[in-house]
């Protein structure tokens, strides 16, 4: 029964094809338009379905793009947090660098920053190692400073590092003066050394004659007072004049009364050195 219906349908289609082929051209075009109009709704439905599918696809792609951008923003946020932590450290270091501007202007030369990378085990409190060496232009006896004042001098150099002896060590004596009085002397180790309290001795201060009485008295009895500033004098050829060393604590007679010496509190904290500057010629 079904086969018979198929044959009938096939026969009808064949007959219509034969008729279309033998129709005049204008009539055939009109017939094609009429038949095409019957299928237009189906074409519109298919087109609408395609548009909805495209929009849905766009929606899915946009969501994926948003997720990708979100992940990117999270990664950038993490990077910014890390950079913020680094910037805090950099800000603290910059503060120390800006403090360097408070130095009295030294002799001609330039300052080269260095980091303290260690201390001498055999002389823990009187010598440090820095990360500059001969390849950086560092030479023996070059002055080493901090943001607060004089620290010491270069004692030995390697290719990439150098040893620095600090004020208060017997190998680091510095010619110094007290600008308020004009008195000059030599910085030598303190009684307790800079190990405990950062105190050194300004030795070999002169004696002088007191006005009116004509008696010979030590200079400290006349002029030197606690709190007065001690600077490098420039004598000796190692340390330029005008570098801050510290402040006078008190004075006393020494050498069986032959000269006066003053205890000096160092301006630089030699027990907590992190960054220093080498004065290059």
């Amino acid at each position: 029964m079904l086969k018979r219906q198929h044959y009938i349908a096939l026969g009808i289609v064949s007959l219509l094809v034969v008729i279309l082929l033998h129709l005049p051209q204008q009539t055939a075009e009109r017939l094609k338009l009429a038949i095409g109009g019957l299928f237009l709704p189906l074409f519109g439905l298919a087109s609408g379905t395609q548009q909805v599918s495209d929009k849905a696809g766009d929606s899915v792609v946009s969501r994926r793009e948003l997720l990708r951008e979100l992940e990117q923003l999270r990664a950038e946020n993490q990077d910014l947090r890390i950079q913020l932590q680094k910037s805090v450290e950099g800000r603290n270091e910059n503060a120390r660098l800006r403090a360097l501007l408070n130095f009295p202007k030294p002799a001609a030369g330039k300052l080269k920053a260095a980091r303290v990378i260690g201390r001498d085990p055999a002389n823990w409190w009187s010598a440090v190692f820095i990360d500059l060496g001969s390849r950086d232009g560092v030479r023996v006896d070059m002055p080493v400073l901090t943001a607060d004042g004089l620290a010491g001098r270069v004692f030995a150099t390697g290719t990439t590092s150098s040893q620095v002896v600090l004020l208060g060590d017997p190998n680091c004596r510095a010619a110094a003066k007290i600008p308020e009085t004009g008195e000059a002397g030599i910085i030598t180790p303190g009684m307790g050394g800079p190990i405990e309290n950062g105190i050194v001795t300004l030795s070999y201060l002169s004696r002088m004659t007191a006005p009116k009485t004509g008696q010979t008295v030590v200079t400290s009895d006349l002029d030197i007072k606690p709190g007065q500033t001690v600077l490098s004098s420039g004598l000796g050829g190692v340390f330029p004049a005008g570098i801050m060393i510290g402040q006078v604590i008190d004075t006393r007679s020494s050498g069986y009364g032959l000269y006066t010496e003053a205890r000096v509190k160092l301006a630089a904290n030699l027990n907590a050195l992190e960054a220093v500057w080498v004065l290059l010629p």
Side-chain angles (χ1 to χ4, degrees):
M1 183 69 180
L2 293 175
K3 289 183 179 181
R4 184 178 178 182
Q5 293 178 352
H6 290 167
Y7 292 148
I8 294 172
L10 181 59
I12 294 173
V13 171
S14 301
L15 179 61
L16 290 175
V17 171
V18 173
I19 294 173
L20 288 173
L21 292 175
H22 291 80
L23 286 176
Q25 184 176 359
Q26 293 183 353
T27 305
E29 292 295 335
R30 292 176 182 177
L31 182 59
K32 290 178 181 179
L33 291 175
I35 295 174
L38 297 176
F39 292 96
L40 282 178
L42 296 178
F43 294 154
L45 178 61
S47 177
T49 303
Q50 182 65 32
Q51 292 178 357
V52 172
S53 176
D54 292 341
K55 291 181 179 180
D58 291 341
S59 178
V60 172
V61 172
S62 297
R63 184 172 181 274
R64 290 178 181 176
E65 182 69 18
L66 287 175
L67 290 176
R68 188 187 66 80
E69 291 180 359
L70 179 60
E71 290 299 327
Q72 183 178 355
L73 289 174
R74 287 176 178 174
E76 292 177 357
N77 186 33
Q78 185 68 21
D79 291 340
L80 289 175
R81 289 183 179 180
I82 296 175
Q83 292 178 14
L84 177 61
Q85 294 175 358
K86 292 181 178 180
S87 67
V88 171
E89 298 176 1
R91 182 177 58 190
N92 295 335
E93 185 174 4
N94 288 337
R96 292 194 297 268
L97 291 173
R98 285 194 298 269
L100 184 62
L101 298 176
N102 294 327
F103 278 136
K105 187 176 180 179
K110 68 175 183 177
L111 295 171
K112 192 173 185 66
R115 291 186 181 275
V116 175
I117 58 176
R119 288 184 178 267
D120 187 349
N123 200 9
W124 185 261
W125 297 105
S126 299
V128 297
F129 292 95
I130 61 175
D131 62 352
L132 295 180
S134 58
R135 72 176 184 182
D136 304 298
V138 176
R139 301 289 182 269
V140 173
D141 286 340
M142 284 185 175
V144 178
L145 300 82
T146 72
D148 299 312
L150 185 62
R153 69 178 179 89
V154 176
F155 184 71
T157 61
T159 304
T160 59
S161 63
S162 300
Q163 183 183 24
V164 176
V165 288
L166 305 176
L167 287 175
D169 185 270
N171 292 314
C172 187
R173 297 173 181 265
K177 66 180 179 180
I178 303 174
E180 288 89 342
T181 65
E183 284 298 311
I186 302 294
I187 295 293
T188 59
M191 294 298 295
I195 297 175
E196 298 178 357
N197 48 24
I199 296 176
V200 296
T201 301
L202 178 58
S203 302
Y204 308 113
L205 297 173
S206 64
R207 298 165 61 90
M208 63 181 297
T209 301
K212 298 182 181 180
T213 64
Q215 296 179 351
T216 300
V217 295
V218 294
T219 305
S220 59
D221 291 335
L222 295 176
D223 301 312
I224 301 177
K225 298 179 176 58
Q228 290 178 335
T229 301
V230 179
L231 304 177
S232 59
S233 66
L235 300 178
V238 176
F239 302 106
I243 300 177
M244 180 70 175
I245 292 178
Q247 290 184 327
V248 173
I249 298 177
D250 53 31
T251 59
R252 62 185 177 183
S253 177
S254 183
Y256 300 98
L258 296 177
Y259 60 88
T260 301
E261 63 183 20
R263 292 197 306 157
V264 177
K265 176 70 174 178
L266 292 176
N269 185 1
L270 303 184
N271 296 336
L273 294 178
E274 295 181 359
V276 296
W277 288 264
V278 180
L279 182 60
L280 304 179

